[in-house]
Amino acid sequence: MRNRRAGVVGPALAVPAWAWLLVFFVAPVAMVVWFSFGYKPGVFGTHANDVLSFDRYAEAMSPTFFATFSNTLWVGVIGTVLCFAIGAPVAYWMAFKVKPERRGILIALVLVPFWTNFLVRTIGWQVILAPEGWLSTMLQGIGVLDGPLDLLYTRTAVIIGVVYNYLPLMILPLFVAFDRVGPALREASKDLGAGKVATFFRVTLPLSQPGIIAGVLLVFIPLMGDYITATVLGGAKGNMVGQLVAGQFQTAQNWALGSAMAVLLMLVITLTIAVFAVIIWLISLPFRSRNRLVLGPAPEQAATGAPANTPVEVAS
């Protein structure tokens, strides 16, 4: 009886999570996909699906869309790489170099930007990077610049904005991953003769892989769909696909074309993640096969009649 109740209660505990996923993820995505096969019925209409076709996808795959998407992909990859390059040392320092009683304060400081609205934070960078802003005035005052700062409404300004906005989403998963490694494994690695660099690449980094994957996904996916940062800091030079999608829904009132653009963006994000996953897997394959524990007789043991239950470590 107890096992039967456990078999019923176990799946029931997942019902709220599945319901949440169905209502707030599956249903909206399905609606967007459905709208993408429709069309704009008139000047005052938003969408109609009485005639289904792929025309909106053909319309979305225009040279303008491809140019904007190339810029979006470039910003997404560079922004994610910079977030990892900045966030990894910070997370490592918080996990291994800071006393445990002070880590809570540092985590709160990492989360401070989230206490302010996303748009307000981005507008703050617009004020900082403005040609007449305090940063431009200071750099001209100390002789670094001969004229006003020319960063606002450029792709570089968009990169600065997205790194600032999404950096906490990289630091937190990396900190949790590094913190779970613990000092015992690193001390064991040092006792076995590995230096700090070898311990990091052979012990800390492989065990932190789930946190690294989570951080990259948490940054790359929302960054690719971001349109606020590009609108406020990029202007025409920092145009991203999110702006095109938002413009079709909010300004042009063409929900069908906007949905087709959104679906293409989701497909390319998925494809990009899959390609990078395959590349990383191929790169790490030789390192994973260098030290392998094989349970069973090695070929030389089978020839000499050694015991079959002797474990053999194979190193290439």
Side-chain angles (χ1 to χ4, degrees):
M1 178 65 70
R2 183 176 299 176
N3 292 335
R4 184 178 300 175
R5 289 180 179 178
V8 174
V9 173
L13 294 176
V15 170
W18 283 109
W20 179 276
L21 184 66
L22 179 64
V23 174
F24 294 100
F25 178 75
V26 176
V29 171
M31 188 177 299
V32 170
V33 173
W34 171 251
F35 285 168
S36 67
F37 295 113
Y39 64 96
K40 181 177 173 61
V43 178
F44 301 102
T46 57
H47 71 283
N49 285 86
D50 55 327
V51 177
L52 303 180
S53 67
F54 289 93
D55 294 344
R56 303 292 79 74
Y57 288 94
E59 187 177 351
M61 291 187 293
S62 61
T64 302
F65 178 81
F66 274 109
T68 304
F69 180 79
S70 300
N71 181 71
T72 303
L73 187 60
W74 189 90
V75 172
V77 173
I78 297 299
T80 304
V81 171
L82 289 177
C83 284
F84 180 78
I86 299 172
V90 174
Y92 185 90
W93 174 73
M94 291 172 56
F96 298 135
K97 303 300 182 181
V98 177
K99 295 181 179 180
E101 58 270 16
R102 298 181 180 178
R103 293 176 185 171
I105 299 176
L106 294 177
I107 293 175
L109 292 176
V110 172
L111 293 174
V112 162
F114 288 131
W115 297 359
T116 308
N117 182 269
F118 190 95
L119 178 60
V120 174
R121 300 200 309 264
T122 309
I123 292 176
W125 275 104
Q126 187 183 45
V127 174
I128 294 174
L129 298 177
E132 65 278 3
W134 64 266
L135 181 60
S136 178
T137 303
M138 182 187 69
L139 293 178
Q140 293 179 71
I142 62 178
V144 176
L145 295 178
D146 297 330
L149 185 66
D150 189 22
L151 272 181
L152 190 60
Y153 304 129
T154 63
R155 187 186 295 180
T156 304
V158 176
I159 293 291
I160 294 174
V162 297
V163 170
Y164 171 78
N165 285 324
Y166 295 100
L167 184 59
L169 297 178
M170 180 67 75
I171 293 178
L172 293 179
L174 290 178
F175 166 74
V176 173
F178 288 146
D179 186 57
R180 287 182 176 179
V181 174
L185 292 174
R186 295 185 296 112
E187 291 177 2
S189 176
K190 294 178 182 179
D191 293 339
L192 293 174
K196 293 183 178 180
V197 176
T199 298
F200 177 78
F201 285 102
R202 301 289 294 275
V203 178
T204 305
L205 195 61
L207 293 177
S208 305
Q209 185 176 0
I212 296 174
I213 295 174
V216 170
L217 293 180
L218 284 174
V219 171
F220 180 74
I221 293 176
L223 196 159
M224 287 288 290
D226 184 10
Y227 70 94
I228 294 179
T229 307
T231 302
V232 176
L233 299 179
K237 296 182 180 179
N239 196 19
M240 296 177 67
V241 175
Q243 291 173 282
L244 297 181
V245 176
Q248 294 298 327
F249 277 94
Q250 298 174 359
T251 305
Q253 293 293 304
N254 191 343
W255 291 12
L257 181 57
S259 298
M261 291 180 176
V263 172
L264 290 176
L265 178 61
M266 289 187 288
L267 291 176
V268 175
I269 290 175
T270 304
L271 180 62
T272 304
I273 294 174
V275 169
F276 274 97
V278 171
I279 293 174
I280 294 174
W281 182 79
L282 292 176
I283 293 174
S284 62
L285 187 60
F287 297 95
R288 291 203 309 265
S289 61
R290 287 182 62 183
N291 293 313
R292 223 173 18 177
L293 186 64
V294 180
L295 298 178
E300 60 273 12
Q301 287 179 326
T304 58
N309 58 353
T310 304
V312 178
E313 185 175 0
V314 178
S316 59

